[in-house]
Amino acid sequence: MMPQLLEVWNDTVDPRHLIGGIAIAVGTAVPAYLIADHLFATGGDEALGHSYALLVGIVGCIVGAVVSGLLFKPKRVITTSAADTRNRQEIIDEVVEEYGDLGDPRDLGPGVQAEVRALGLFDALVDNHEARIREKGGHK
C-alpha cells in the first residue's frame, strides 16, 4: 500500500519523512549552534562569538539537509506521453482564432526558428500558415 503523500511547496512528500527530515535538521543545527556558541563565547568578543555560532548552526542545517536527502528519496513520478499532432494542430487553430494570424514561421530569425524546430512546432506552424493562405485564396 502506498503511503499518504502531501504536497508541500509544490513538492510531493511522505509526512513521516518530512517529520524525520525536520527532526534531523533540528538535531544537527541546534546542538551545533549551542556548542559553537558556548565555545566562541568563552573566547573573547561575545557578539563575534554569537555570529560565528550562527554560521556553525547554518552548516548544521546543511549537514541535516544532506543527510535527509540521502535517507529520504523523492516521491515524484514523472510520466511522458507521445505528442499527438492532431491535437497540436487544433491548439494552433485555437490560438489563431483568439490572437489572430501567427504569420509565416519561415520569416522568423534563425535563432527563433531553431527554438521552434526544437519544440517540434515548425512544420505544424508552416502547415497552418499555408492552410490559412489557401483559405483566403491569397498567394505568398
Side-chain angles (χ1 to χ4, degrees):
M1 184 171 123
M2 182 90 168
Q4 180 67 26
L5 300 177
L6 302 173
E7 187 171 328
V8 178
W9 293 328
N10 293 324
D11 202 358
T12 305
V13 297
D14 182 334
R16 293 172 296 153
H17 292 173
L18 177 63
I19 291 169
I22 291 170
I24 290 169
V26 169
T28 57
V30 172
Y33 168 75
L34 293 174
I35 291 168
D37 191 46
H38 178 70
L39 293 175
F40 288 127
T42 60
D45 187 4
E46 192 172 327
L48 188 59
H50 290 309
S51 298
Y52 284 132
L54 284 174
L55 289 175
V56 172
I58 291 171
V59 170
C61 285
I62 294 170
V63 168
V66 169
V67 169
S68 295
L70 294 172
L71 289 176
F72 309 124
K73 299 301 176 198
K75 309 300 180 276
R76 297 177 199 97
V77 177
I78 299 174
T79 57
T80 60
S81 60
D84 183 357
T85 58
R86 181 184 51 83
N87 288 339
R88 181 180 294 161
Q89 196 60 47
E90 289 173 4
I91 292 170
I92 291 172
D93 289 338
E94 289 176 20
V95 169
V96 169
E97 286 177 27
E98 187 171 340
Y99 296 104
D101 189 20
L102 300 174
D104 190 345
R106 293 170 287 208
D107 294 338
L108 298 171
V112 177
Q113 275 191 31
E115 287 184 37
V116 172
R117 286 181 195 277
L119 293 170
L121 295 174
F122 187 82
D123 293 332
L125 290 172
V126 168
D127 293 344
N128 182 275
H129 176 69
E130 290 175 351
R132 296 220 177 268
I133 288 176
R134 282 192 301 273
E135 285 175 9
K136 293 178 183 177
H139 302 287
K140 170 118 176 130

